[in-house]
Amino acid sequence: MATTVSVKEYRVDRLAQFVAGRGEYVMRRVALIYNPMSGQLPEQRAGVIADVAAVFLGAGIEVKALATEGPDSAGRLALEATADGYDTILACGGDGTVHEALQTMVGGSAVLGVIPMGTANALAVDLGLPANPVRAAKRLLKATPVRVSVGNVFFTGDDGESRSRYFVVAAGIGVDGLFFSRLDSRMKRRFGYAAYFIEAMRLAFTHTFPMFAAEFIETATGAPRVEEVSQVLAVRISNFGGMVNNLVPGAALGNGNLHAMAFKTRSRWEYLRFMVAVWFQRHKYAGAIEVVDCSQVECRDLDSSTERLHVEADGEWLGTLPVRIEVVPQALTLLIPPKPLRRG
């Protein structure tokens, strides 16, 4: 059974590691990994990265900027930078850049930080980082490395093979997965966050919301519970930014469990009503839409299912059912700014 671990407990654990002889973390060598095409103004990307680098150079820290060259190259660059002795990897982009870097950093010694420079910056928002990259860099100079748990999703790839990916924001099955399978990168660059709203509205009025089976292992009892659902969203943070603030109260990086939103309905009206309630901060979880506090969730097609059901993690489309989602305890060292640490 998963247990809830507070940020304070993570810091105590980190201190115990220092006492054991690892030595206190000091930011000395920073690798800035950035996606030249992320966000709405890619032509200004190099100049922003230079300004961010200047912040760390001014603090006496060695800096190297590394541009991604295609899908999954951020993970390779993070791995190479760590092997070259860089103690801190800063993912400069959106949640997709963070997600790629995360894949090779779980279980490693380097520290991961975030500079928000993408269309969606949910992790950066949840950490309380300012949207301005230079201000965010200055904030990270005062940040604390905290050992946090990450999610792990096992899924079926487009080639029919079983695969897995780590995630730090959320993993979704159902209409959420379909949403990210259809989201056009050109639309994101042109319209920014509005592209998310446009696609969400289109799906809300056209999708049929097919049902599938979800088995939750509840944190409190350790007992399995099976539901028929049209959507599951397993989240690790609460604040996604934009109009999606405090989506799931209690969800936090400091927790060792999952807060899984379960939509036990195919009603388009229920979905629309919930979306509007979220935008106005009046949403509640009861009846057809609830939150399950769990250590694991496993999803599979119903025998009667004829539609392909999609899976995403951190806003990246992955594949289809069957899916298993669980938590990897204290798997990543993340730079967390002072304000969230004070909130605990």
Side-chain angles (χ1 to χ4, degrees), residues 5-20:
V5 182
S6 69
V7 171
K8 181 179 179 181
E9 287 172 320
Y10 280 129
R11 297 185 71 184
V12 170
D13 174 73
R14 184 72 180 171
L15 180 59
Q17 293 175 2
F18 299 156
V19 173

Side-chain angles (χ1 to χ4, degrees), residues 74-91:
R76 175 181 55 79
L77 292 172
L79 188 63
E80 292 173 355
T82 301
D84 288 341
Y86 286 86
D87 52 72
T88 306
I89 309 297
L90 299 185

Side-chain angles (χ1 to χ4, degrees), residues 4 15 35 73 89 102 105 173 202 213 220 232 256 281 291 314:
T4 300
L15 180 59
N35 180 352
S73 62
I89 309 297
L102 175 71
M105 294 187 67
I173 303 103
R202 187 166 73 88
V232 167
Q281 291 292 289
V291 172
D314 292 344

Side-chain angles (χ1 to χ4, degrees), residues 43-125:
E43 66 278 2
Q44 300 179 11
R45 190 72 43 192
V48 175
I49 288 294
D51 292 341
V52 169
V55 172
F56 295 102
L57 290 170
I61 298 168
E62 180 184 338
V63 182
K64 184 177 183 178
L66 303 168
T68 60
E69 300 170 348
D72 296 323
S73 62
R76 175 181 55 79
L77 292 172
L79 188 63
E80 292 173 355
T82 301
D84 288 341
Y86 286 86
D87 52 72
T88 306
I89 309 297
L90 299 185
C92 307
D95 293 320
T97 305
V98 176
H99 178 77
E100 287 189 14
L102 175 71
Q103 304 311 311
T104 59
M105 294 187 67
V106 167
S109 59
V111 178
L112 176 63
V114 184
I115 301 289
M117 294 174 63
T119 304
N121 302 291
L123 179 60
V125 170

Side-chain angles (χ1 to χ4, degrees), residues 146-169:
V146 179
R147 201 72 178 175
V148 300
S149 301
V150 300
N152 197 7
V153 53
F154 300 83
F155 61 97
T156 302
D158 209 24
D159 56 2
E161 295 293 321
S162 297
R163 303 184 184 283
S164 69
R165 297 283 283 188
Y166 299 111
F167 66 93
V168 71
V169 173

